[in-house]
Amino acid sequence: MTATKWALICPFFLILILHSLAIYLFTRGFLLARTELSSFSHCSDLSLSPCSIPSSSMHDFSSPGDHLPNVVGNSSGWTRPAISRLVIIIIDALRFDFVAPSSFFNEKKAWMDKLEVLQKLAAEENINSRIFKAIADPPTTSLQRLKGLTTGGLPTFIDIGNSFGAPAIVEDNLIFQLANNGKKVLMMGDDTWLQLFPHHFNESYPYPSFNVKDLDTVDNGVIKHLFPSLLKDDWDVLIAHFLGVDHAGHIFGVDSIPMIAKLEQYNTILEEVVQVLKNQCGPGDLHENTLLVVMGDHGQTLNGDHGGGTAEEVETALFAMSLGNPSTSVASALNTDYCHPDLNGKKMCIGTFQQLDFAVTMASLIAIPFPFGSIGRINPELYALAGSSFEVRNNCAETCGSHSNLDSWMMNYVNNLCLNSWQVKRYIDSYSTASVIGLPAKDLYYINTLYSEAQRSWPDIIKLAVSYENDIHIGINDNTTSALQRQVDAYSRFLASVAKLARSEWTEFNLKLMGFGLCIMLTSLSVHLFTIRRVNILCKSYYTFPGSSFSFFRVLTVIVFVAIRAVSFLSNSYILAEGRVANFLLGTSGILNLWSSFDSGTVTAEDLLFLVLTIIIRFGIESGMSKDTVGSGSLSSNSPGNIGIEKGYSLWMGLQEFLPIPALYILVILMCIYISRSSCWKCLKHFFIIGNILSYILMSVHWVLESNMIAAPEVLQYFGKTFAPRIIYSIGLLLFVLLALLVTVNKNDMFLVSKSTESLAIVTTGMLSAWSPTILILLGRQGPYVALVCVLGAWCIAKLKYAAQVDDGKGALTELISDPTPVLQWNLLAVCLFFYTGHWCTFDGIRFVAAFTGFEHFNIVQQGILLAIDTFGVSHIIPVMSLPFLVISKHQIFKKESSKGFLLVNLTQAFLMYGLITAVTTTLTIICVTIQRRHLMVWGLFAPKFVFDFIGLLLVDGLICVGSLFYY
């Protein structure tokens, strides 16, 4: 390369380095995880607790667990055991309305009332069975929720990065305490459990969890081991994690036949589980005092996505059923605020459960030390279901009536809540000492005050306990209940305040690193502007312009448009509506184009088509095109050897399946026509034509066979679903390598090109030919439609006349690309296509199903690359790599061939402007997330937006650097 070329290319690499350094420093300051303490709770710690009640008194308030033959090591924990065995069935992505009766909602949906067995049990056996609305803390990805459920803490945002390679949990947790205290734990299902707890299970049956196209492998594996295990006595805790609902949601959405089929399957499974447990729940039987918990780790949106903090994602369900003997008086005292008639008109009450409370509640019931880092509260309703019958002295029982059971239960609950509060206080004190920044002194003082107030009345509780021992029955009355309730309220206020403090202050922000990162980012913008100014001066050295060919109004318009979009990131509502905002700005720019054309009297078809495309994109963004809901397609049975249309498919469903294929071949025809017009490719163009035609044929075969609409032999099915996509990836990689070799040798000699524009067009076409098949097959059947919209939109922008002017007198080209309006439209079109393809800037907007196109097993590198291409292909890779067409189209207006140097300078202008627009919006995102770092939605919305933007910026910078090496 000549020195001039390197002078144009080097600023791209400098800007990439500055952006990488700025984002690295800011991220180190903003996304710091909370300090994970290495402390663990031990049985001996109980002696340090201020919550001890005289043992002779506590004998009277003992749990039935003291007399259970199945409870091992009753004295090993901090509490007395209320259950002997625990069965936890997790249904991944279980929405609340999957479990609650439809009568609790304003409108009945197709997916409601499918888990009838849980509703029936909660209605008919409401003393020992109950449905809860369980509230998860975002982020609502499975790994974070499992970590939160077992540690009792709040996983931080940075943990999302471990979702595909979960590291073992090193802090204290429920599973460790179970194993450390002699409890045998059996796990089956989602292999994430084994990644988090590699050495804690006595026995495990893990199954790969990341192939979202597979609805049945994990579930069938769980079913295979679940029912035999229920009849064995070699475990104390059984965990069964089903994944079918989560995968059905990701692929088909909530309102789909596969989803309903999965729910109905689970209903049958749960019926059998309940029947097995009830058959073994008699005195001395295996499940005499077993607690069954059926729960979700998080919810999901109607599109089947999750990861954010919307109500649909954080609201899941928990069903609990105790097989012991409940107490009517205790059950009647539970919270009954959320009650409605069920489907049969009977009154049903649903409780509320914070997932933060799960670890400590289970630890209390099964009698093991509470996890050291838990900040949850023992849930009173769930505790009452499992431990509601406590013995009292016979003479008191005869005189005290129903108060005896209730007060005995409350005495045990208060004692456990005291231990709960003491443990949380101990953790907060340790955290404040060990953490680099700690917690605000004002907040610490407040929670310390609440704890001191709660403990101040603890001696009165001990006196009440002693009164039972001394037969002072005055304690068994409403005053006793009131005193115990006041103590419960005092501890609850303390624990609620700690949870609130943790949710607002959990992440430690290093403002110095954030400030350094922001300063470097602002410096990079200055470098960007300086480089653009230098390139503009260099551009004038090639041609002397008679004057500015574009008005100051256009430059001001671009600045205003970029500022509007960037400042909108301060609002969480505008972040949610980012696609519509970008589409509005794109449409507004089209209206300004049309207005300019009216003024000049030269209205073109491109002006009108551009506006039509913005309307189409707007409808696409509103409706969403990412969820390929093909009804029962995936459930159809294939008959090997028979080829024909499967039954049950409507005409419209058939059109949805096959219409993308003609659209795909329209793209093939357009590409072949464009490449064939050039006579300068030698025989090389045939490699690209044949490679793309073969890729598109394989793509259509893949879609037809994947839809299951045509019954084909199993071998052909496997080829179409697995090998066809892999061949497409290989062809794309081969074409990319071939193009790189041609450019390295000398593209002008290889292509026999004399014109610089012709040479640039060939390399750009080759680059898009290599990338487009892979991107299209990952986008699915929406790919051809998106590609056509992209091609037509790019054509309109490239052909709009105001960006290039020809001097009538001399025919000299004036400021060719200095007008930033076309580049802005190019950028806005890319943003719109990101949302048009069903993506959005939250982790529930990632289309995980694309990563398994052509693959069944998970590999973090392999699937990570495919996921990145699907997420950023049509919004970053294609727009940046196709920018040369914007320059080429302007040069073709000029009748004489421009010098190669002038062409490269114009291309440098386009790259710099595109990169600057992206950098400005990312900088404003950084500023906004800094300002909103204490916002309620910071981890649910602002932080994901920041992550997507900085990845997008680095990708744009990297692609520009790669493009400059290919195109210059």
Side-chain angles (χ1 to χ4, degrees):
M1 285 189 177
T2 64
T4 302
K5 291 179 181 178
W6 276 114
L8 295 175
I9 292 175
C10 284
F12 297 140
F13 287 89
L14 175 60
I15 291 170
L16 173 61
I17 293 172
L18 288 175
H19 286 168
S20 300
L21 180 60
I23 290 171
Y24 172 77
L25 292 175
F26 186 86
T27 303
R28 290 281 296 175
F30 179 66
L31 296 181
L32 283 177
R34 63 177 173 85
T35 302
E36 292 187 352
L37 304 185
S38 58
S39 302
F40 287 77
S41 297
H42 301 91
C43 295
S44 58
D45 296 342
L46 187 61
S47 61
L48 305 174
S49 166
C51 304
S52 59
I53 292 179
S55 58
S56 59
S57 301
M58 281 307 297
H59 174 76
D60 295 323
F61 310 108
S62 61
S63 160
D66 292 320
H67 311 288
L68 299 179
N70 296 320
V71 177
V72 179
N74 294 341
S75 61
S76 64
W78 290 359
T79 62
R80 295 180 182 272
I83 59 175
S84 59
R85 309 183 93 192
L86 176 62
V87 177
I88 302 174
I89 296 179
I90 297 176
I91 300 177
D92 208 292
L94 182 70
R95 286 170 59 99
F96 175 61
D97 56 7
F98 286 169
V99 177
S102 57
S103 57
F104 279 68
F105 305 94
N106 295 329
E107 183 180 358
K108 182 176 180 179
K109 300 294 185 179
W111 59 83
M112 295 180 180
D113 302 324
K114 300 305 176 184
L115 298 178
E116 296 176 348
V117 60
L118 302 183
Q119 298 177 6
K120 181 179 179 181
L121 289 169
E124 296 180 357
E125 303 181 26
N126 54 14
I127 296 178
N128 63 349
S129 299
R130 196 163 210 198
I131 294 173
F132 296 83
K133 176 189 283 187
I135 309 299
D137 288 286
T140 49
T141 50
S142 293
L143 182 142
Q144 282 68 48
R145 293 320 319 135
L146 295 183
K147 187 173 182 180
L149 285 168
T150 54
T151 63
L154 295 171
T156 53
F157 179 84
I158 198 66
D159 290 330
I160 288 182
N162 298 322
S163 292
F164 295 105
I169 294 178
V170 297
E171 59 182 325
D172 199 0
N173 59 82
L174 179 65
I175 306 300
F176 169 82
Q177 289 296 341
L178 287 168
N180 196 49
N181 288 275
K183 305 298 182 183
K184 298 177 182 178
V185 185
L186 169 63
M187 189 284 300
M188 57 193 71
D190 188 343
D191 62 352
T192 303
W193 284 92
L194 208 61
Q195 297 174 43
L196 294 174
F197 310 103
H199 309 295
H200 296 82
F201 299 117
N202 292 78
E203 197 171 357
S204 61
Y205 303 99
Y207 295 89
S209 58
F210 285 110
N211 187 0
V212 293
K213 288 187 175 182
D214 186 349
L215 273 60
D216 300 313
T217 298
V218 176
D219 291 357
N220 291 340
V222 173
I223 296 169
K224 177 182 177 181
H225 298 286
L226 176 59
F227 293 103
S229 298
L230 290 175
L231 300 176
K232 297 179 181 179
D233 61 355
D234 58 352
W235 55 267
D236 298 296
V237 177
L238 185 153
I239 300 172
H241 192 144
F242 290 91
L243 279 175
V245 161
D246 179 63
H247 289 183
H250 280 302
I251 302 174
F252 302 103
V254 170
D255 191 8
S256 65
I257 293 177
M259 176 65 78
I260 294 172
K262 267 296 165 187
L263 292 174
E264 291 174 344
Q265 179 190 15
Y266 289 162
N267 186 68
T268 302
I269 295 170
L270 292 174
E271 281 182 338
E272 296 179 17
V273 169
V274 171
Q275 191 60 47
V276 170
L277 295 177
K278 284 188 173 183
N279 290 340
Q280 297 287 328
C281 70
D285 285 344
L286 196 60
H287 296 294
E288 178 186 358
N289 285 280
T290 296
L291 176 67
L292 170 65
V293 176
V294 180
M295 63 184 297
D297 54 347
H298 51 74
Q300 58 177 303
T301 65
L302 293 179
N303 280 335
D305 302 310
H306 56 89
T310 64
E312 289 179 307
E313 296 165 277
V314 300
E315 290 180 0
T316 181
L318 184 147
F319 169 84
M321 183 181 73
S322 173
L323 297 172
N325 296 318
S327 170
T328 305
S329 61
V330 175
S332 62
L334 298 178
N335 186 353
T336 57
D337 292 340
Y338 191 32
C339 299
H340 289 278
D342 65 6
L343 299 179
N344 297 318
K346 296 181 180 180
K347 181 180 179 181
M348 178 188 290
C349 296
I350 291 181
T352 301
F353 183 88
Q354 297 289 332
Q355 283 194 352
L356 192 68
D357 303 338
F358 182 81
V360 68
T361 303
M362 294 299 109
S364 176
L365 291 173
I366 210 167
I368 57 174
F370 305 161
F372 186 83
S374 172
I375 58 171
R377 180 190 67 152
I378 300 173
N379 184 273
E381 298 174 77
L382 189 54
Y383 186 80
L385 286 176
S388 59
S389 297
F390 295 91
E391 291 187 357
V392 294
R393 294 173 62 96
N394 291 335
N395 56 352
C396 181
E398 294 175 357
T399 58
C400 302
S402 63
H403 275 288
S404 60
N405 279 339
L406 180 58
D407 288 338
S408 299
W409 174 82
M410 287 195 70
M411 184 65 72
N412 279 274
Y413 180 64
V414 167
N415 185 57
N416 286 7
L417 207 57
C418 179
L419 290 169
N420 186 182
S421 301
W422 165 72
Q423 170 55 43
V424 171
K425 177 66 165 56
R426 185 172 68 153
Y427 169 70
I428 290 297
D429 291 342
S430 299
Y431 184 85
S432 300
T433 303
S435 178
V436 177
I437 299 177
L439 297 171
K442 181 179 178 181
D443 293 320
L444 281 176
Y445 176 78
Y446 176 68
I447 62 175
N448 286 335
T449 302
L450 290 178
Y451 182 75
S452 299
E453 291 176 354
Q455 284 301 116
R456 193 175 297 123
S457 57
W458 182 248
D460 297 332
I461 302 301
I462 296 180
K463 291 178 182 179
L464 286 175
V466 174
S467 71
Y468 285 94
E469 178 68 17
N470 298 329
D471 292 332
I472 304 175
H473 301 149
I474 191 172
I476 307 298
N477 54 33
D478 291 335
N479 291 334
T480 301
T481 305
S482 299
L484 293 172
Q485 186 61 54
R486 285 194 298 271
Q487 192 66 23
V488 169
D489 293 340
Y491 284 135
S492 297
R493 282 194 297 272
F494 164 73
L495 293 170
S497 297
V498 171
K500 182 179 179 180
L501 174 62
R503 287 188 173 100
S504 62
E505 301 286 345
W506 204 248
T507 301
E508 303 164 355
F509 298 110
N510 189 323
L511 295 180
K512 289 184 179 179
L513 286 178
M514 292 170 65
F516 284 140
L518 181 57
C519 289
I520 295 176
M521 196 70 194
L522 294 173
T523 302
S524 73
L525 296 182
S526 301
V527 173
H528 230 132
L529 290 170
F530 174 79
T531 306
I532 290 176
R533 182 175 180 275
R534 188 174 68 86
V535 172
N536 286 341
I537 294 174
L538 185 62
C539 184
K540 292 182 179 180
S541 66
Y542 286 92
Y543 284 90
T544 301
F545 302 120
S548 178
S549 61
F550 60 93
S551 67
F552 175 75
F553 173 74
R554 293 197 184 106
V555 178
L556 182 62
T557 300
V558 170
I559 295 174
V560 170
F561 277 30
V562 174
I564 289 174
R565 180 166 179 264
V567 174
S568 69
F569 298 154
L570 273 169
S571 167
N572 60 316
S573 299
Y574 277 102
I575 291 178
L576 290 172
E578 183 182 359
R580 296 194 292 272
V581 171
N583 181 258
F584 170 79
L585 295 175
L586 183 66
T588 303
S589 69
I591 293 174
L592 292 177
N593 292 344
L594 189 61
W595 183 15
S596 176
S597 298
F598 272 123
D599 284 345
S600 61
T602 56
V603 178
T604 63
E606 288 84 2
D607 291 311
L608 301 176
L609 178 59
F610 187 75
L611 292 178
V612 172
L613 286 175
T614 59
I615 296 173
I616 294 174
I617 293 173
R618 176 57 183 267
F619 281 111
I621 293 174
E622 292 291 343
S623 62
M625 297 186 64
S626 65
K627 197 64 64 178
D628 190 10
T629 51
V630 294
S632 59
S634 68
L635 302 178
S636 301
S637 60
N638 299 320
S639 304
N642 297 325
I643 299 179
I645 301 298
E646 290 288 341
K647 295 180 180 180
Y649 272 88
S650 65
L651 177 61
W652 173 243
M653 292 171 64
L655 290 175
Q656 283 183 312
E657 295 292 343
F658 285 109
L659 279 179
I661 296 176
L664 188 66
Y665 288 113
I666 292 175
L667 290 173
V668 176
I669 293 171
L670 291 175
M671 180 205 67
C672 292
I673 291 175
Y674 186 83
I675 295 178
S676 300
R677 284 180 177 177
S678 174
S679 60
C680 305
W681 279 64
K682 285 183 156 184
C683 62
L684 295 174
K685 63 182 177 182
H686 299 298
F687 283 100
F688 287 87
I689 292 176
I690 294 172
N692 276 266
I693 291 176
L694 179 59
S695 295
Y696 289 130
I697 291 174
L698 289 172
M699 201 179 304
S700 60
V701 170
H702 170 74
W703 288 341
V704 170
L705 295 178
E706 187 184 45
S707 68
N708 290 336
M709 288 187 63
I710 294 181
E714 186 176 349
V715 174
L716 186 58
Q717 287 275 358
Y718 187 75
F719 171 81
K721 294 181 180 180
T722 303
F723 283 103
R726 295 182 187 182
I727 295 173
I728 292 173
Y729 304 150
S730 301
I731 291 174
L733 180 61
L734 181 63
L735 292 179
F736 182 81
V737 172
L738 177 62
L739 185 64
L741 291 175
L742 297 179
V743 171
T744 302
V745 173
N746 190 326
K747 58 178 178 284
N748 287 345
D749 292 340
M750 294 297 297
F751 298 149
L752 297 178
V753 176
S754 59
K755 294 183 178 181
S756 55
T757 53
E758 185 78 20
S759 173
L760 183 59
I762 290 173
V763 179
T764 306
T765 303
M767 182 71 75
L768 296 180
S769 298
W771 278 104
S772 58
T774 297
I775 294 174
L776 288 182
I777 193 172
L778 292 177
L779 287 175
R781 291 175 182 80
Q782 63 171 339
Y785 307 129
V786 175
L788 286 175
V789 170
C790 181
V791 169
L792 292 175
W795 172 266
C796 292
I797 294 173
K799 291 299 181 180
L800 292 175
K801 292 183 178 180
Y802 68 80
Q805 304 290 335
V806 177
D807 180 74
D808 294 333
K810 299 181 180 179
L813 193 66
T814 61
E815 293 195 29
L816 192 67
I817 196 66
S818 297
D819 183 359
T821 307
V823 182
L824 172 68
Q825 292 177 321
W826 206 272
N827 182 274
L828 289 175
L829 178 63
V831 174
C832 289
L833 290 176
F834 177 81
F835 294 95
Y836 184 65
T837 51
H839 298 93
W840 54 92
C841 295
T842 57
F843 292 101
D844 54 342
I846 297 176
R847 299 174 60 251
F848 294 102
V849 65
F852 292 91
T853 304
F855 298 93
E856 296 180 356
H857 303 291
F858 176 78
N859 178 281
I860 189 168
V861 176
Q862 178 178 275
Q863 267 56 60
I865 292 173
L866 294 180
L867 198 61
I869 294 175
D870 171 72
T871 304
F872 299 104
V874 76
S875 60
H876 291 74
I877 297 174
I878 294 297
V880 173
M881 289 305 179
S882 60
L883 263 176
F885 283 128
L886 188 63
V887 177
I888 293 169
S889 65
K890 307 308 176 188
H891 276 261
Q892 289 175 344
I893 297 175
F894 187 41
K895 298 179 182 179
K896 300 178 182 179
E897 172 62 21
S898 303
S899 68
K900 183 175 182 180
F902 187 41
L903 180 69
L904 295 183
V905 169
N906 288 156
L907 182 57
T908 303
Q909 286 179 316
F911 277 144
L912 287 171
M913 289 178 185
Y914 193 94
L916 179 61
I917 292 172
T918 307
V920 168
T921 54
T922 304
T923 303
L924 263 295
T925 300
I926 291 175
I927 294 173
C928 293
V929 82
T930 302
I931 295 172
Q932 304 283 18
R933 66 185 183 277
R934 297 301 181 192
H935 193 280
L936 179 65
M937 294 296 294
V938 63
W939 304 121
L941 194 61
F942 288 100
K945 169 62 179 170
F946 162 69
V947 171
F948 274 82
D949 274 13
F950 86 66
I951 292 176
L953 175 64
L954 295 181
L955 185 60
V956 166
D957 290 340
L959 290 171
I960 288 175
C961 291
V962 172
S964 65
L965 296 177
F966 272 83
Y967 299 145
Y968 284 42

